[in-house]
Amino acid sequence: MTSTSERVAIVTGASGGIGRASALRLAADGTAVVVHYNGNKDRADETVATIAASGGHAVAAGGDIADEEAAAALFDVAKRAFGGVDVLVHTAGIMPLAPIAQLDLEVLDRVLRVNVRGTVVVDQLAARLVRPGGAIINLSTSITRLQAPAYGAYAASKGAVEALTLILARELRGRDITVNTVAPGPTATPLFLEGKSPELIEQIANNNPFQRLGYPGDIAEAVAFLAGPARWVNGQTIFVNGGAA
C-alpha cells in the first residue's frame, strides 16, 4: 500500500470525457485518483501518466460498475494504493437515443442496469467506505429538465439518480459526508457528439447564452467544488449548462 496524506478519489468512467477531466482537475487540487475504466484501458493509463507527469498520484482500475464484485474491487484498489477513499465521482453511464414508441426494451434494460443499478452499486459502497469529511458526487443530465425527444430512457435513468442522491444524503445523517449530483448540459464529449450532424450540434450549442457547447473542464470545475470546499451543499442537483435550462 502506498498510503498518502492526500484526499483520495475514485472517478468512474475516467478514461474519457467528463470523467477524465474530473480526474485531472481533482489531481490538480492534490487529490490521489483511482482512474476507472470499462473498456478503454489505454486511455485510462494515459490519464494516469498525465497526472503522474504533473507530480500527482493515480492508478488505473477497470471493471463493470454495475457488478457488485467488480465495483468492490475498485474500492479495494483505492484502499491498497492510497489507504482509503474520501471522494466518489460517478460519471460512468450510457446514452442510447430512441423515441419512446420505438424504444427497444433490451436497450432500456441496459440503460437502467448501467445508469441506475450502477449508481446504486457504487453509492452503496461509497456510503459504507467513504471517510468523514468526504463527498459522493453522481452525474445526471440537464435533459431531466429540458425533456428533449428521443432521450426518454436516458432521462428516466438520470431522474432516478437525482432521487437516489437526495435520499442517500439524508440517510448519511451524522456521517459528515455530502451527496450531490452534477447535471451537465450539452457537453462536447464523444458520448454526446456521436451520431449528431454538425448542423444539429450548432443548433444545440446556440440554446444557451454562451452559444457554445460545454467543455468537460467546465463540468470538472463543479465536481471539484463539490469534492472539496462545498461542505454546506448537500442533497442537491447542480445544473451546469451555461444557462440552457
Side-chain angles (χ1 to χ4, degrees):
M1 179 181 74
T2 306
S3 182
T4 76
S5 59
E6 302 162 317
R7 283 168 70 82
V8 178
I10 294 173
V11 182
T12 71
S15 59
I18 292 169
R20 182 175 190 271
S22 297
L24 295 174
R25 180 64 181 80
L26 291 174
D29 281 345
T31 302
V33 184
V34 177
V35 176
H36 165 264
Y37 65 92
N38 186 28
N40 198 341
K41 183 179 185 301
D42 290 344
R43 186 67 167 162
D45 288 341
E46 180 185 323
T47 302
V48 169
T50 300
I51 291 171
S54 298
H57 298 97
V59 62
D64 175 5
I65 49 87
D67 178 87
E68 304 97 311
E69 292 185 2
L74 187 62
F75 281 78
D76 288 343
V77 168
K79 177 70 174 177
R80 291 196 306 272
F82 303 121
V85 181
D86 301 288
V87 178
L88 169 70
V89 182
H90 178 44
T91 79
I94 60 173
M95 190 178 66
L97 305 181
I100 292 170
Q102 283 83 49
L103 180 60
D104 186 322
L105 293 181
E106 290 187 0
V107 172
L108 174 64
D109 288 343
R110 186 160 59 91
V111 171
L112 295 177
R113 182 183 187 277
V114 175
N115 294 359
V116 181
R117 177 190 168 94
T119 299
V120 171
V121 168
V122 295
D123 278 12
Q124 277 186 336
L125 288 160
R128 298 166 186 163
L129 298 172
V130 165
R131 295 180 287 209
I136 298 170
I137 304 162
N138 294 318
L139 266 285
S140 179
T141 170
S142 290
I143 288 295
T144 58
R145 181 177 287 183
L146 296 170
Q147 306 294 346
Y151 285 85
Y154 184 63
S157 71
K158 292 302 188 176
V161 169
E162 293 176 16
L164 288 164
T165 294
L166 176 55
I167 291 169
L168 182 57
R170 290 172 173 169
E171 290 176 345
L172 293 182
R173 181 183 183 90
R175 292 276 307 281
D176 190 22
I177 297 171
T178 62
V179 190
N180 291 289
T181 297
V182 172
T187 306
T189 67
L191 181 68
F192 173 78
L193 297 173
E194 183 179 358
K196 294 182 175 69
S197 68
E199 294 76 18
L200 178 58
I201 292 170
E202 183 178 2
Q203 177 186 336
I204 294 170
N206 281 323
N207 284 339
N208 71 73
F210 293 97
Q211 297 179 292
R212 67 168 175 85
L213 296 179
Y215 303 121
D218 295 325
I219 315 307
E221 289 297 330
V223 168
F225 175 62
L226 293 172
R231 300 309 301 167
W232 196 237
V233 182
N234 193 26
Q236 304 302 306
T237 296
I238 310 297
F239 288 87
V240 186
N241 56 32

